[in-house]
Amino acid sequence: YPSEFLMQKITEDNQVPVHLHVSVSLQYVAGLKGRALVEFFHSNIAEVENEELRHLMWSSVLFYKTPSVEVMACVLLSTKAIYFLLDDSFIHADEHQSDFWNKENSDCENNSFHLSCCFVLKLNDLQSVNVGLFDQYFRITGRSADHIVTCLTRDSYNTHTFIQQLMAVLSLLARTPSPEPVDKDFYSEFGSKNTGKMENYELIHSSRVKFIYPNEEEIGDLAFLVAEKMDGLTNLPSLNILLYVLAFQVNHVEGSAQNTSSLQPKTLILTSSDLFLFDEDYISYPLPEFAKEPPKRDKYQLADGRRIRDLDRVLMGYQTYPQALTFVFDDVQNQDLMQNLTLDHFGE
């Protein structure tokens, strides 16, 4: 251990997304290759001597205790735990973090020393994994509110690869079997005899960790919500969600020394008639079993919505992934101008 193939794979995966800013300490980690990366893991991160590093992924993460702070992390999966290597700036981002991190003093006089904090989720504490719509993100749930983390991969391939690796590692865990195992066939497990529809697609791994995937009703609920935001201009049966993607809205910062821009996480939903931007809560839903009260905000909050017929042009950047798109809409103050004219002219 480790094999050449594994070291090459981890080296290839050790690339920070170009559009996201990371601290100096994480830049150092991103610069490590092959054996140096594995040695760094064993000497600085690993908690047990015989654990193996199996997978590495860079992703934005959200914690259940701080749902409004999205932070960049290097996610390391080993045969014992999932490690989230975070910016030290995350601790200072929220005043309420001090209790969560139980942090003493990270301010070092030596400027060449850069601190990262590492959040550890033991595989033995893992209870369920919720995969988001179209594999854009996934939520890992442990034993308490401190152990709920959402990885916003914004990429179905990265999500799929991590879930595969996690299932493989969980298969190595020796857990006691359930007291009375009951063998159920597919139809009794998932199907409802009354409706014949799948109620919930839930895969229970041999390690007794649940992998929960979105059911068909979730898209239906989303379509209904979108139709509500359209003020009933569209009939629900004909409303189709063509695209659901986690993206960033670019806000240019005026008056800065450099031409900088801030990225605001948004959920983009495209229907046959409209383009919507939503602020979505990726961490609170579905409610964990220990939640005493519902979340303070709805899962989807409308940030902006425009009609496709008002779209004038789409500007595309020439850079590689991630692609920047600019949508230019006609600035019509009264959207129903023609309808009102018709009423005034022909009717009372």
Side-chain angles (χ1 to χ4, degrees):
Y1 169 80
S3 67
E4 288 297 325
F5 173 77
L6 180 65
M7 283 203 295
Q8 183 183 348
K9 181 77 175 67
I10 288 174
T11 302
E12 290 172 358
D13 292 337
N14 191 23
Q15 293 184 2
V16 181
V18 293
H19 59 290
L20 294 177
H21 172 75
V22 295
S23 67
V24 180
S25 53
L26 289 188
Q27 284 173 6
Y28 168 76
V29 177
L32 296 172
K33 307 287 182 192
R35 193 164 295 281
L37 187 56
V38 175
E39 288 174 1
F40 171 80
F41 170 75
H42 282 290
S43 58
N44 295 284
I45 299 171
E47 295 192 332
V48 190
E49 192 176 346
N50 63 344
E51 67 180 296
E52 300 174 19
L53 177 62
R54 288 296 182 91
H55 186 61
L56 182 147
M57 176 183 74
W58 287 88
S59 172
S60 296
V61 295
L62 280 174
F63 289 90
Y64 188 76
K65 287 284 189 76
T66 54
S68 59
V69 184
E70 183 178 323
V71 63
M72 197 64 197
C74 181
V75 186
L76 300 147
L77 173 66
S78 78
T79 50
K80 301 290 182 186
I82 306 170
Y83 300 94
F84 298 88
L85 202 58
L86 304 163
D87 274 359
D88 58 338
S89 59
F90 175 57
I91 297 175
H92 305 292
D94 195 337
E95 293 175 357
H96 305 293
Q97 281 291 10
S98 54
D99 297 335
F100 179 38
W101 288 102
N102 194 16
K103 163 186 155 292
E104 292 176 2
N105 185 19
S106 68
D107 297 321
C108 298
E109 294 178 8
N110 184 5
N111 290 331
S112 63
F113 180 82
H114 299 283
L115 181 79
S116 283
C117 47
C118 188
F119 179 77
V120 186
L121 185 60
K122 298 271 176 51
L123 293 181
N124 282 322
D125 294 335
L126 193 60
Q127 293 187 347
S128 64
V129 178
N130 290 81
V131 181
L133 282 174
F134 301 104
D135 300 343
Q136 292 282 292
Y137 65 95
F138 59 92
R139 188 184 77 177
I140 302 170
T141 304
R143 296 186 184 277
S144 70
D146 289 336
H147 300 97
I148 301 182
V149 190
T150 292
C151 290
L152 298 163
T153 59
R154 298 181 168 90
D155 183 351
S156 57
Y157 174 77
N158 281 344
T159 300
H160 179 69
T161 305
F162 187 88
I163 297 294
Q164 269 193 324
Q165 294 288 341
L166 180 59
M167 284 183 174
V169 168
L170 286 172
S171 300
L172 303 172
L173 289 182
R175 286 193 178 185
T176 53
S178 302
E180 294 180 4
V182 179
D183 293 328
K184 290 184 178 181
D185 64 323
F186 178 83
Y187 296 101
S188 61
E189 182 75 25
F190 298 121
S192 169
K193 293 175 183 175
N194 299 327
T195 62
K197 281 166 58 174
M198 287 177 69
E199 288 184 347
N200 202 357
Y201 186 62
E202 192 174 285
L203 171 72
I204 300 180
H205 191 264
S206 58
S207 62
R208 291 188 285 129
V209 175
K210 293 179 183 178
F211 286 83
I212 303 159
Y213 295 85
N215 56 20
E216 58 187 23
E217 291 174 6
E218 203 158 324
I219 283 288
D221 293 344
L222 185 56
F224 180 79
L225 180 83
V226 169
E228 261 190 336
K229 302 297 183 187
M230 295 164 70
D231 298 327
L233 294 173
T234 290
N235 54 341
L236 186 59
S238 66
L239 177 68
N240 287 321
I241 293 179
L242 306 176
L243 181 70
Y244 167 98
V245 66
L246 302 197
F248 291 100
Q249 186 175 14
V250 182
N251 295 326
H252 287 287
V253 180
E254 299 265 335
S256 58
Q258 298 173 332
N259 187 17
T260 57
S261 58
S262 64
L263 301 176
Q264 301 295 324
K266 300 288 179 191
T267 296
L268 186 145
I269 295 174
L270 178 68
T271 71
S272 51
S273 58
D274 292 78
L275 180 72
F276 293 100
L277 289 179
F278 283 92
D279 290 314
E280 184 177 351
D281 188 334
Y282 308 105
I283 188 91
S284 306
Y285 298 88
L287 283 179
E289 293 177 0
F290 45 75
K292 300 282 175 62
E293 57 185 15
K296 293 177 181 176
R297 56 177 185 163
D298 296 334
K299 184 170 185 181
Y300 296 99
Q301 293 177 310
L302 182 66
D304 201 354
R306 305 294 175 94
R307 298 191 304 188
I308 297 297
R309 71 191 218 192
D310 294 332
L311 182 63
D312 188 47
R313 61 192 182 276
V314 180
L315 308 176
M316 288 183 285
Y318 288 102
Q319 73 272 38
T320 54
Y321 180 84
Q323 188 73 36
L325 295 175
T326 304
F327 299 97
V328 182
F329 290 89
D330 287 331
D331 190 15
V332 181
Q333 292 297 324
N334 190 346
Q335 292 186 342
D336 299 319
L337 185 64
M338 297 306 294
Q339 181 186 348
N340 292 344
L341 276 175
T342 309
L343 286 173
D344 290 343
H345 190 74
F346 293 107
E348 294 178 2

